[in-house]
Amino acid sequence: MNLGATIVGIVIVGLCIIPFILISANSRKKKERLLQGLFGLAQKNKGEISRYDLWNNSTVGIDDTAHTIFFTRKVKETETLQMIHLAEVQKCRVINSGRAVRQTVGNHQVIEKLELEFAYWDKVKTATVLEFYNTDSDSLTLTGELQLAEKWNKIVNDCLSAIPLQK
C-alpha cells in the first residue's frame, strides 16, 4: 500500500513539473535564437557585441569599439535587422507615442508605441527608428520596454558624446 501511494505521488509530482520544464526549455531556445540573430548580424558586419538586451521578440546590442548599434525584431513573419553607425548620428531620443484616457479618478497616459529615433548629421538622410514596443504587435501591457528604451537612449548618447564631432 505504501509503495503504491509513493508511486502515485511521484507520478503526480512529475506531471506537475513537466510543463514548467518544457516552458523553461522553450524560453531558453527562444532566447538563444534571438541572440544568434543579433550576434550573427554583428558578425556579418565585422562587429562584436559588447552589451546587449533582449525582450519579447527583440534584441539590441552595441559594439563599443566600432560605435555601432545592432537591432533585431521579429513581428509575426517579418524580421527586422538594422545596423546604425553612431559616427553618423547627431542625437538619439526616445519617442513615446500614446493617448490620454479619461477616467473618473483622472486622466492617464496610455503608451501605444515606444521607439528610439536616431537623427543624422546629414540632414538629407532620414532618421532611423527602432521600435521597442507597439500595442499592435506586442502585449497590451509594458514589461520593461520603457526602461529599456531609456537605458539604450542613455547608452547611445553617452557613446555619441565620446565620438569626435563630425559636421
Side-chain angles (χ1 to χ4, degrees), residues 87-90 120-123 163-167:
E88 301 171 1
V89 174
Q90 180 183 12
Y120 294 98
W121 288 107
D122 183 1
K123 300 299 179 195
I163 297 174
L165 287 178
Q166 295 183 10
K167 290 188 179 179

Side-chain angles (χ1 to χ4, degrees), residues 38-39 42 47-53 60-68 70 152 155:
L38 180 68
F39 283 89
E48 189 174 314
I49 301 294
S50 312
R51 297 176 273 175
Y52 67 89
D53 275 310
V60 64
I62 187 168
D63 181 339
D64 283 318
T65 55
H67 304 294
T68 306
F70 298 97
W152 280 93
I155 288 171

Side-chain angles (χ1 to χ4, degrees), residues 16 19 21 38 41 45 76 81 89-90 94-95 97 113 116 119 134 136 142-144 146 152 158:
C16 292
I21 293 171
L38 180 68
L41 176 63
N45 293 286
K76 296 177 184 161
L81 304 172
V89 174
Q90 180 183 12
V94 176
I95 299 175
S97 306
K113 199 184 259 191
L116 268 187
N134 189 335
D136 295 336
L142 289 167
T143 53
L146 179 59
W152 280 93
D158 290 348

